[in-house]
Amino acid sequence: QLQLVESGGGLVRAGDSLSLSCVASRDTFRTFNMGWFRQAPGREREFVAAITWRSSPTNYADSVKGRFTISRDNAKNTVYLQMNSLEPEDTAMYYCAADRSAPPTLTRTIPEAYAYWGQGTQVTVAS
């Protein structure tokens, strides 16, 4: 079992930046590919970004490409999501997730592929 705890969400204005963190409970974190997803009220959970256990390759949803950056520090059991140039459309609950079954070089984009999830951190972007 792997527990994940997100932090760093908040209320910001359009154009601002936020940095999210997700800390894992066990060192086995370093063997998992990791992903960030988000879910807005009334909408399905959607893929945001993913990173392999080696930190490369990474993968991004088209809607965040060029604005968001995913990274990880395996020594700290932590994955990050740096979000720049935030837009009101980025408002959602953000979740990190661990994919224990993916090949080392494959980042998956569907929620069903991820076995472990955090409780989420809310990001609200005011216009």
Side-chain angles (χ1 to χ4, degrees):
Q1 189 76 8
L2 186 72
Q3 295 182 330
L4 304 170
V5 179
E6 304 96 333
S7 62
L11 171 62
V12 296
R13 294 188 178 274
D16 287 350
S17 297
L18 274 177
S19 181
L20 305 184
S21 299
C22 171
V23 180
S25 60
R26 302 182 66 176
D27 290 346
T28 48
F29 163 85
R30 63 196 61 182
T31 66
F32 295 139
N33 295 348
M34 298 296 296
W36 284 97
F37 290 78
R38 66 187 182 187
Q39 188 167 18
R43 302 188 64 176
E44 293 187 353
R45 191 165 298 190
E46 66 173 359
F47 170 76
V48 176
I51 188 169
T52 62
W53 66 274
R54 295 179 177 176
S55 296
S56 179
T58 57
N59 190 13
Y60 296 92
D62 288 342
S63 59
V64 307
K65 201 170 293 184
R67 300 188 297 124
F68 290 12
T69 302
I70 188 171
S71 62
R72 67 189 295 162
D73 185 340
N74 287 341
K76 296 182 178 180
N77 292 349
T78 302
V79 61
Y80 305 95
L81 185 68
Q82 177 65 41
M83 306 186 294
N84 298 329
S85 302
L86 283 162
E87 303 168 353
E89 294 74 22
D90 295 318
T91 296
M93 185 73 78
Y94 282 71
Y95 300 90
C96 71
D99 181 356
R100 64 181 176 183
S101 302
T105 58
L106 178 64
T107 54
R108 301 199 281 190
T109 63
I110 58 172
E112 293 77 10
Y114 290 76
Y116 303 112
W117 292 83
Q119 82 291 347
T121 186
Q122 177 67 38
V123 172
T124 303
V125 184
S127 57

